Amino acid sequence: MAVAGTFSLVRFRSAPGTAREICAVFLAMAVGLACGMGYVAFAAVFALVLCIITIVYDRVGFLEKRDGGMEKVLKVTVPEDLDYEGMFDDIFREYTSSSKLTSIKTSNLGSLNKLHYNVTMKKAGTDKSFIDELRCRNGNLEISLSLLADSSEL
């Protein structure tokens, strides 16, 4: 119970971490508690076994994100008189495996709409041709394509 309580305090009082960081905190607390209770041999064996499992998972790539940076945020500016719904669907089908409109924002006193999409690219290295086709469709207004922000970066 003490480990779970301490773990929840550490988890909610700090910035969100990755699963690896959370497991390292849990391992350190469990080994520390076992050593504090006098079970030094048990703590050493426990730490050794979990370290070996962690190294094996790391080498195999278990539970790693497989997209390799293919998830991106697309920001497209379009004129306010342009019907943006379905406007880029054919381009998205060609270059992305998934796309989702996440927000719409007006700018320049309502004369422009800024569309934010979360997209997953099909192939690496197609960003330039993707942006070029979008530029032709939106009247050569501002377009931004960036990596999807990790929750730990926010």
Side-chain angles (χ1 to χ4, degrees), residues 65-126:
K65 229 178 179 180
R66 305 254 189 255
D67 67 2
M70 301 296 277
E71 289 183 1
K72 300 191 178 195
V73 175
L74 173 67
K75 298 176 185 176
V76 182
T77 304
V78 296
E80 55 109 11
D81 59 343
L82 204 59
D83 185 20
Y84 54 80
E85 294 208 23
M87 178 180 173
F88 303 114
D89 286 350
D90 58 330
I91 299 172
F92 288 156
R93 273 192 296 276
E94 183 179 345
Y95 289 98
T96 67
S97 57
S98 70
S99 63
K100 181 179 180 185
L101 180 63
T102 56
S103 71
I104 304 166
K105 179 182 175 183
T106 62
S107 68
N108 204 19
L109 298 173
S111 64
L112 298 174
N113 290 325
K114 293 192 176 200
L115 312 174
H116 293 211
Y117 292 91
N118 285 346
V119 297
T120 304
M121 302 298 289
K122 282 183 182 176
K123 296 182 206 170
T126 58

Side-chain angles (χ1 to χ4, degrees), residues 17-48:
T18 63
R20 181 174 295 160
E21 293 167 349
I22 293 170
C23 287
V25 168
F26 176 71
L27 172 67
M29 286 189 308
V31 169
L33 283 172
C35 285
M37 291 172 42
Y39 298 110
V40 178
F42 177 72
V45 170
F46 178 72
L48 183 66

